[in-house]
Amino acid sequence: MKFYVSVDMEGIAGIALREQTMRGEPFYQEARHLLTEEVNIVVEALVQSGATDIIVKDAHATGFNFLYDRLHPAASYVLGPVPMTNRFAGVDETFAGALLLGYHGMAGTPGAILDHTYSTADVYGLELNGAPIGEIGVDALLFGLRGVPVLFVSGDDKTCAEAERQLGTVRTYETKKGLGRHAGLLKAPRRVYEEIGDAVKEAVARRSACKPYTMQGPYEMKVEYTSTRLADGRYCNEADTFRADGRTVLLRDDDLLRLLSRTFG
């Protein structure tokens, strides 16, 4: 069996501060240890569940966050920035499922730890075909284009609730309860390491209950930027890209991957 693991940082055990998630900040190196340890626990759980091939994608920021000399040898790792069209390099229809590890709530989620949608500086919020969507939904759609279901999502309680609303049948694991953007009731990382492997094994065991996340076209993405300056920078041709108001741009397309590429390109 083949599995794909996409790893963000904000939902990892022990992480709640901006200073933990950004290169050059005082607590970043400590957070890299927490990130790498949790990845290794999940990879080992997949191996014990019968995985024969595992790809792990570093999906936080520019994709250089793991402690590379400490990574579990059973997986291959996607590092560095890649375009949206190849966000999950190496995935195809032969994969049994995907796991979203250490994710976070979409921008504007009340009480969520480090909530955002791809960019805290640029994106105030996204709506796809009239419904709010965050990184969980977008990434699940990208896997869905390859026929791969998302089996597992971990992060704070708001993240888990978002995943269950968006995806329906998915195994979630809560690493913390959000009390605000930089505040939470966190499980000790050692407790998470004891529990998360069993949650992953359960997700693999019940994988047949999960279906690829898909959406029928045509598609419209509403992008609300954090400033009018950012919206000013988008070329609006009034054919498939429109300026809705000072901070909002609408993009329309019949091809979902092309739409996502245009949104984040």
Side-chain angles (χ1 to χ4, degrees), residues 76-130:
S76 299
Y77 298 87
V78 178
L79 309 176
V82 292
M84 183 61 69
T85 51
N86 197 32
R87 177 165 169 80
F88 299 120
V91 72
D92 60 31
E93 65 281 352
T94 65
F95 279 72
L99 298 86
L100 308 183
L101 178 66
Y103 270 57
H104 52 81
M106 70 176 71
T109 302
I113 294 175
L114 295 166
D115 61 294
H116 65 282
T117 303
Y118 292 105
S119 170
T120 55
D122 294 353
V123 178
Y124 189 81
L126 296 179
E127 290 185 8
L128 180 59
N129 286 3

Side-chain angles (χ1 to χ4, degrees), residues 84 117-118 123 125-135 137-139 141-142 215 218-225 234 236 240-244 247-265:
M84 183 61 69
T117 303
Y118 292 105
V123 178
L126 296 179
E127 290 185 8
L128 180 59
N129 286 3
I133 193 167
E135 293 179 34
V138 171
D139 286 352
L141 284 169
L142 287 169
M215 185 179 297
Y219 307 98
E220 179 181 87
M221 183 71 82
K222 177 181 176 181
V223 186
E224 188 173 1
Y225 292 101
R234 293 302 303 251
C236 297
D240 58 17
T241 309
F242 309 83
R243 185 74 171 266
R247 292 190 292 116
T248 306
V249 173
L250 302 177
L251 300 95
R252 294 173 182 158
D253 211 307
D254 292 327
D255 184 283
L256 180 59
L257 187 58
R258 186 169 58 212
L259 177 76
L260 294 174
S261 179
R262 290 171 55 207
T263 300
F264 301 106

Side-chain angles (χ1 to χ4, degrees), residues 54-73:
I54 304 167
I55 296 179
V56 180
K57 160 69 183 289
D58 186 338
H60 179 70
T62 56
F64 291 104
N65 303 284
F66 299 150
L67 295 173
Y68 307 114
D69 61 332
R70 301 188 183 186
L71 288 169
H72 197 301

Side-chain angles (χ1 to χ4, degrees), residues 8-231:
D8 212 338
M9 204 169 191
E10 289 83 359
I12 294 295
I15 292 179
L17 301 177
R18 172 186 175 277
E19 291 84 355
Q20 293 176 288
T21 63
M22 298 186 70
R23 187 177 296 274
E25 293 291 343
F27 300 118
Y28 173 69
Q29 194 65 20
E30 175 186 282
R32 294 181 73 197
H33 285 269
L34 296 170
L35 175 71
T36 303
E37 184 65 22
E38 203 164 311
V39 166
N40 287 342
I41 296 292
V42 168
V43 171
E44 179 61 26
L46 289 172
V47 170
Q48 292 181 15
S49 296
T52 56
D53 193 356
I54 304 167
I55 296 179
V56 180
K57 160 69 183 289
D58 186 338
H60 179 70
T62 56
F64 291 104
N65 303 284
F66 299 150
L67 295 173
Y68 307 114
D69 61 332
R70 301 188 183 186
L71 288 169
H72 197 301
S76 299
Y77 298 87
V78 178
L79 309 176
V82 292
M84 183 61 69
T85 51
N86 197 32
R87 177 165 169 80
F88 299 120
V91 72
D92 60 31
E93 65 281 352
T94 65
F95 279 72
L99 298 86
L100 308 183
L101 178 66
Y103 270 57
H104 52 81
M106 70 176 71
T109 302
I113 294 175
L114 295 166
D115 61 294
H116 65 282
T117 303
Y118 292 105
S119 170
T120 55
D122 294 353
V123 178
Y124 189 81
L126 296 179
E127 290 185 8
L128 180 59
N129 286 3
I133 193 167
E135 293 179 34
I136 293 168
V138 171
D139 286 352
L141 284 169
L142 287 169
F143 282 116
L145 288 172
R146 296 290 190 174
V148 178
V150 172
L151 311 179
F152 175 89
V153 178
S154 70
D156 72 4
D157 57 327
K158 313 306 188 296
T159 301
C160 294
E162 180 180 324
E164 290 162 5
R165 286 195 308 270
Q166 194 92 56
L167 307 181
T169 306
V170 63
R171 176 62 161 94
T172 59
Y173 177 79
E174 184 182 301
T175 58
K176 60 197 99 173
K177 293 186 184 296
L179 301 176
R181 183 164 181 77
H182 299 116
L185 183 63
L186 278 63
K187 292 180 182 177
R190 282 189 293 178
R191 176 183 169 188
V192 171
Y193 304 155
E194 292 172 357
E195 295 177 349
I196 197 168
D198 288 339
V200 168
K201 291 176 185 177
E202 181 184 331
V204 172
R206 61 194 294 268
R207 63 189 179 279
S208 61
C210 299
K211 304 302 179 186
Y213 184 54
T214 60
M215 185 179 297
Q216 295 298 313
Y219 307 98
E220 179 181 87
M221 183 71 82
K222 177 181 176 181
V223 186
E224 188 173 1
Y225 292 101
T226 55
S227 73
T228 54
R229 176 186 62 82
L230 293 166

